[in-house]
Amino acid sequence: MSRRGGSRSGRRRGYWTLRIDIVTLFPGIFVGPLQESILGRARAKGLVEINVVNLRDWAESRHRVTDDYPFGGGGGMVLKPEPLFACVEALRGVGSRVILLDPQGRRFRQEIARELSQAAHLILLCGRYEGVDERVREHLVDDEISIGDYVLTGGELPALVVTDAVVRLLPGALGDQAAPAKDSFGAGLLEGPHYTRPEEFGGWRVPEVLLSGDHARIARWRRWQALWRTWRRRPDLLETAELTPEEQKLIEEFKQGRKPDA
Ligand code: SAM
Protein backbone atom coordinates (compact mmCIF):
# COMPACT_ATOMS: atom_id res chain seq x y z
CA MET A 1 0.00 0.00 0.00
CA SER A 2 1.29 3.46 -0.84
CA ARG A 3 1.52 6.71 1.13
CA ARG A 4 -1.71 7.94 2.63
CA GLY A 5 -2.71 10.09 5.51
CA GLY A 6 -5.31 11.15 8.04
CA SER A 7 -7.68 9.05 10.10
CA ARG A 8 -10.94 8.45 8.28
CA SER A 9 -12.76 5.83 10.26
CA GLY A 10 -16.43 5.62 9.28
CA ARG A 11 -19.51 4.73 11.24
CA ARG A 12 -21.12 1.28 11.02
CA ARG A 13 -24.52 0.62 12.56
CA GLY A 14 -23.85 2.52 15.79
CA TYR A 15 -20.14 1.64 15.96
CA TRP A 16 -17.00 3.18 14.54
CA THR A 17 -15.27 1.15 11.90
CA LEU A 18 -11.98 0.33 13.53
CA ARG A 19 -9.07 1.30 11.33
CA ILE A 20 -5.77 -0.52 11.73
CA ASP A 21 -2.66 0.62 9.87
CA ILE A 22 0.22 -1.84 10.00
CA VAL A 23 3.61 -0.32 9.18
CA THR A 24 6.12 -2.89 7.94
CA LEU A 25 9.09 -3.52 5.69
CA PHE A 26 7.54 -6.83 4.62
CA PRO A 27 3.94 -6.26 3.44
CA GLY A 28 3.86 -9.68 1.74
CA ILE A 29 3.66 -11.40 5.13
CA PHE A 30 0.12 -10.09 5.59
CA VAL A 31 -1.41 -11.19 2.30
CA GLY A 32 -2.84 -14.54 3.39
CA PRO A 33 -3.79 -13.96 7.04
CA LEU A 34 -5.75 -10.76 6.41
CA GLN A 35 -7.89 -12.39 3.72
CA GLU A 36 -8.91 -15.56 5.49
CA SER A 37 -11.65 -16.52 7.92
CA ILE A 38 -12.84 -14.06 10.60
CA LEU A 39 -10.36 -11.31 9.63
CA GLY A 40 -11.31 -11.50 5.96
CA ARG A 41 -15.02 -11.51 6.74
CA ALA A 42 -14.76 -8.65 9.25
CA ARG A 43 -13.05 -6.57 6.58
CA ALA A 44 -15.65 -7.51 3.98
CA LYS A 45 -18.45 -6.52 6.39
CA GLY A 46 -16.80 -3.14 7.03
CA LEU A 47 -16.23 -3.79 10.73
CA VAL A 48 -12.56 -3.05 10.31
CA GLU A 49 -10.40 -1.38 7.70
CA ILE A 50 -6.86 -2.75 7.65
CA ASN A 51 -4.11 -1.08 5.67
CA VAL A 52 -0.65 -2.54 5.29
CA VAL A 53 1.76 0.35 4.85
CA ASN A 54 5.20 -0.20 3.35
CA LEU A 55 7.73 1.69 5.46
CA ARG A 56 10.09 1.82 2.49
CA ASP A 57 7.67 4.23 0.77
CA TRP A 58 8.48 6.73 3.55
CA ALA A 59 12.26 6.66 3.17
CA GLU A 60 13.40 9.86 1.47
CA SER A 61 16.81 8.74 0.21
CA ARG A 62 17.25 7.65 -3.40
CA HIS A 63 17.83 4.07 -2.31
CA ARG A 64 14.91 4.15 0.15
CA VAL A 65 17.13 3.21 3.08
CA THR A 66 15.18 2.38 6.23
CA ASP A 67 17.93 0.97 8.48
CA ASP A 68 21.48 1.80 9.44
CA TYR A 69 24.41 0.60 11.57
CA PRO A 70 24.16 1.14 15.34
CA PHE A 71 26.15 3.98 16.86
CA GLY A 72 28.80 2.57 19.15
CA GLY A 73 29.27 -0.53 17.01
CA GLY A 74 27.94 -4.00 17.51
CA GLY A 75 26.19 -6.32 15.09
CA GLY A 76 22.84 -5.91 13.42
CA MET A 77 20.99 -2.98 11.93
CA VAL A 78 18.58 -0.50 13.48
CA LEU A 79 15.44 0.99 11.89
CA LYS A 80 16.05 4.68 11.23
CA PRO A 81 13.76 7.23 12.88
CA GLU A 82 13.01 9.48 9.87
CA PRO A 83 10.81 7.10 7.82
CA LEU A 84 8.91 5.95 10.92
CA PHE A 85 8.24 9.51 12.10
CA ALA A 86 7.20 10.67 8.62
CA CYS A 87 4.91 7.70 8.11
CA VAL A 88 3.22 7.94 11.53
CA GLU A 89 2.78 11.73 11.30
CA ALA A 90 0.93 11.23 8.01
CA LEU A 91 -1.27 8.40 9.27
CA ARG A 92 -2.04 9.75 12.70
CA GLY A 93 -5.31 11.53 13.40
CA VAL A 94 -7.44 12.42 16.41
CA GLY A 95 -7.85 9.31 18.55
CA SER A 96 -5.05 7.33 16.89
CA ARG A 97 -2.99 5.02 19.08
CA VAL A 98 0.52 4.30 17.92
CA ILE A 99 1.77 0.93 19.13
CA LEU A 100 5.24 -0.49 18.75
CA LEU A 101 5.41 -4.28 18.74
CA ASP A 102 8.39 -5.01 20.93
CA PRO A 103 9.55 -7.86 23.17
CA GLN A 104 10.21 -5.26 25.87
CA GLY A 105 6.61 -3.94 25.84
CA ARG A 106 3.76 -4.77 28.18
CA ARG A 107 2.66 -8.38 27.81
CA PHE A 108 -0.38 -8.78 25.55
CA ARG A 109 -3.51 -10.11 27.26
CA GLN A 110 -7.22 -10.41 26.54
CA GLU A 111 -7.83 -7.29 28.63
CA ILE A 112 -5.53 -5.29 26.32
CA ALA A 113 -7.26 -6.76 23.26
CA ARG A 114 -10.58 -5.59 24.73
CA GLU A 115 -9.17 -2.14 25.41
CA LEU A 116 -7.81 -1.84 21.85
CA SER A 117 -11.09 -3.04 20.33
CA GLN A 118 -12.70 0.16 21.69
CA ALA A 119 -10.24 2.40 19.82
CA ALA A 120 -11.02 4.19 16.56
CA HIS A 121 -7.60 3.85 14.98
CA LEU A 122 -4.55 1.75 15.72
CA ILE A 123 -1.17 2.21 14.08
CA LEU A 124 0.97 -0.89 14.60
CA LEU A 125 4.70 -0.49 14.01
CA CYS A 126 6.64 -3.65 13.16
CA GLY A 127 10.30 -3.57 14.13
CA ARG A 128 13.02 -5.62 12.42
CA TYR A 129 16.71 -6.44 12.87
CA GLU A 130 17.96 -5.09 16.26
CA GLY A 131 14.78 -3.03 16.60
CA VAL A 132 13.97 0.66 16.17
CA ASP A 133 15.99 3.76 17.00
CA GLU A 134 15.30 4.55 20.67
CA ARG A 135 13.84 7.97 19.77
CA VAL A 136 10.89 6.16 18.16
CA ARG A 137 10.14 4.40 21.44
CA GLU A 138 10.60 7.59 23.45
CA HIS A 139 8.93 10.22 21.29
CA LEU A 140 6.65 8.60 18.71
CA VAL A 141 4.72 5.72 20.17
CA ASP A 142 1.90 5.70 22.74
CA ASP A 143 2.35 2.11 23.78
CA GLU A 144 4.62 -0.92 23.37
CA ILE A 145 3.23 -4.45 23.24
CA SER A 146 5.01 -7.78 23.54
CA ILE A 147 3.26 -11.02 22.63
CA GLY A 148 5.47 -13.03 24.98
CA ASP A 149 8.88 -13.56 26.47
CA TYR A 150 10.71 -14.69 23.36
CA VAL A 151 12.30 -12.88 20.44
CA LEU A 152 10.94 -13.11 16.91
CA THR A 153 12.67 -11.82 13.81
CA GLY A 154 10.14 -9.06 13.26
CA GLY A 155 6.98 -7.37 14.51
CA GLU A 156 4.80 -8.72 11.69
CA LEU A 157 3.60 -11.89 13.43
CA PRO A 158 2.96 -9.98 16.68
CA ALA A 159 0.98 -7.36 14.70
CA LEU A 160 -1.13 -10.17 13.23
CA VAL A 161 -1.66 -11.69 16.67
CA VAL A 162 -2.83 -8.35 18.07
CA THR A 163 -5.01 -7.65 15.02
CA ASP A 164 -6.69 -11.06 15.19
CA ALA A 165 -7.35 -10.85 18.94
CA VAL A 166 -8.79 -7.34 18.59
CA VAL A 167 -10.91 -7.86 15.48
CA ARG A 168 -12.69 -10.96 16.79
CA LEU A 169 -13.97 -8.79 19.66
CA LEU A 170 -15.66 -6.28 17.36
CA PRO A 171 -19.46 -6.58 17.49
CA GLY A 172 -20.56 -8.63 14.48
CA ALA A 173 -17.17 -10.27 13.84
CA LEU A 174 -18.17 -13.65 15.26
CA GLY A 175 -21.33 -15.59 14.43
CA ASP A 176 -22.04 -15.94 18.16
CA GLN A 177 -21.97 -12.48 19.75
CA ALA A 178 -21.69 -14.02 23.20
CA ALA A 179 -18.66 -16.16 22.29
CA PRO A 180 -15.90 -13.80 23.49
CA ALA A 181 -17.46 -13.61 26.96
CA LYS A 182 -17.52 -17.42 27.16
CA ASP A 183 -14.04 -17.90 25.76
CA SER A 184 -11.04 -18.35 28.02
CA PHE A 185 -10.13 -15.04 29.76
CA GLY A 186 -13.49 -13.54 28.68
CA ALA A 187 -14.89 -13.78 32.19
CA GLY A 188 -11.54 -14.20 33.90
CA LEU A 189 -11.56 -18.02 33.72
CA LEU A 190 -10.41 -20.69 31.28
CA GLU A 191 -13.24 -22.18 29.26
CA GLY A 192 -14.34 -25.77 29.96
CA PRO A 193 -14.15 -28.70 27.51
CA HIS A 194 -16.08 -29.02 24.25
CA TYR A 195 -17.38 -32.18 22.58
CA THR A 196 -19.02 -32.85 19.24
CA ARG A 197 -20.36 -35.90 17.38
CA PRO A 198 -19.91 -38.86 17.63
CA GLU A 199 -21.24 -39.51 21.15
CA GLU A 200 -18.69 -42.29 21.47
CA PHE A 201 -15.25 -42.31 19.90
CA GLY A 202 -12.50 -44.87 20.58
CA GLY A 203 -14.46 -46.10 23.58
CA TRP A 204 -14.60 -42.61 25.12
CA ARG A 205 -18.12 -41.29 25.71
CA VAL A 206 -19.24 -37.67 25.80
CA PRO A 207 -20.27 -36.69 29.36
CA GLU A 208 -23.91 -37.72 29.84
CA VAL A 209 -24.99 -34.28 31.06
CA LEU A 210 -24.30 -32.74 27.63
CA LEU A 211 -26.81 -35.12 26.05
CA SER A 212 -29.46 -34.56 28.72
CA GLY A 213 -31.15 -31.53 27.12
CA ASP A 214 -31.35 -30.01 30.63
CA HIS A 215 -30.00 -26.51 29.92
CA ALA A 216 -29.69 -25.44 33.54
CA ARG A 217 -27.72 -28.58 34.40
CA ILE A 218 -25.51 -28.13 31.35
CA ALA A 219 -24.80 -24.48 32.22
CA ARG A 220 -23.92 -25.45 35.79
CA TRP A 221 -21.67 -28.30 34.58
CA ARG A 222 -19.88 -25.96 32.18
CA ARG A 223 -19.30 -23.36 34.87
CA TRP A 224 -17.93 -25.97 37.26
CA GLN A 225 -15.68 -27.39 34.56
CA ALA A 226 -14.36 -23.87 33.84
CA LEU A 227 -13.66 -23.38 37.54
CA TRP A 228 -11.98 -26.79 37.84
CA ARG A 229 -9.86 -26.28 34.77
CA THR A 230 -8.82 -22.78 35.86
CA TRP A 231 -7.93 -24.04 39.30
CA ARG A 232 -5.84 -26.89 37.83
CA ARG A 233 -4.11 -24.91 35.08
CA ARG A 234 -4.15 -21.23 35.97
CA PRO A 235 -4.91 -20.77 39.66
CA ASP A 236 -3.51 -17.22 39.39
CA LEU A 237 -6.65 -16.24 37.42
CA LEU A 238 -8.89 -17.14 40.36
CA GLU A 239 -7.39 -14.27 42.37
CA THR A 240 -9.18 -11.71 40.18
CA ALA A 241 -12.12 -13.71 38.78
CA GLU A 242 -15.61 -12.73 39.93
CA LEU A 243 -16.91 -15.72 41.84
CA THR A 244 -20.11 -16.27 43.81
CA PRO A 245 -19.79 -17.41 47.44
CA GLU A 246 -20.89 -20.88 46.27
CA GLU A 247 -18.10 -20.93 43.67
CA GLN A 248 -15.53 -19.77 46.19
CA LYS A 249 -16.62 -22.64 48.44
CA LEU A 250 -16.28 -25.02 45.51
CA ILE A 251 -12.70 -23.91 44.89
CA GLU A 252 -11.92 -24.54 48.56
CA GLU A 253 -13.40 -28.03 48.13
CA PHE A 254 -11.25 -28.62 45.03
CA LYS A 255 -8.26 -27.82 47.20
CA GLN A 256 -9.45 -30.51 49.64
CA GLY A 257 -9.58 -33.07 46.84
CA ARG A 258 -13.14 -32.75 45.52
CA LYS A 259 -13.54 -33.35 41.78
CA PRO A 260 -16.17 -31.59 39.64
CA ASP A 261 -19.42 -33.56 39.32
CA ALA A 262 -19.58 -35.68 36.16
N1 SAM B 1 17.09 -6.52 19.92
C1 SAM B 1 15.73 -6.55 20.38
C2 SAM B 1 15.74 -6.88 21.85
O1 SAM B 1 16.60 -7.64 22.29
O2 SAM B 1 14.84 -6.42 22.60
C3 SAM B 1 14.93 -7.59 19.62
C4 SAM B 1 14.68 -7.20 18.20
S1 SAM B 1 13.71 -8.38 17.31
C5 SAM B 1 14.94 -9.41 16.61
C6 SAM B 1 13.11 -7.47 15.93
C7 SAM B 1 11.70 -6.98 16.06
O3 SAM B 1 10.81 -8.06 16.19
C8 SAM B 1 11.41 -6.10 17.24
O4 SAM B 1 11.77 -4.76 17.00
C9 SAM B 1 9.90 -6.24 17.39
O5 SAM B 1 9.19 -5.38 16.53
C10 SAM B 1 9.67 -7.66 16.94
N2 SAM B 1 9.50 -8.61 18.05
C11 SAM B 1 10.32 -9.64 18.36
N3 SAM B 1 9.87 -10.33 19.38
C12 SAM B 1 8.71 -9.76 19.76
C13 SAM B 1 7.75 -10.04 20.78
N4 SAM B 1 7.92 -11.03 21.64
N5 SAM B 1 6.66 -9.25 20.86
C14 SAM B 1 6.49 -8.22 20.00
N6 SAM B 1 7.36 -7.91 19.02
C15 SAM B 1 8.45 -8.66 18.89
Side-chain angles (χ1 to χ4, degrees), residues 79 100-105 125-132 137 145-156 158-159:
L79 288 187
L100 175 67
L101 282 313
D102 195 281
Q104 301 175 26
L125 304 183
C126 305
R128 274 273 155 181
Y129 318 124
E130 279 306 312
V132 299
R137 193 195 299 276
I145 288 180
S146 162
I147 62 161
D149 291 350
Y150 42 81
V151 174
L152 298 162
T153 50
E156 286 75 14

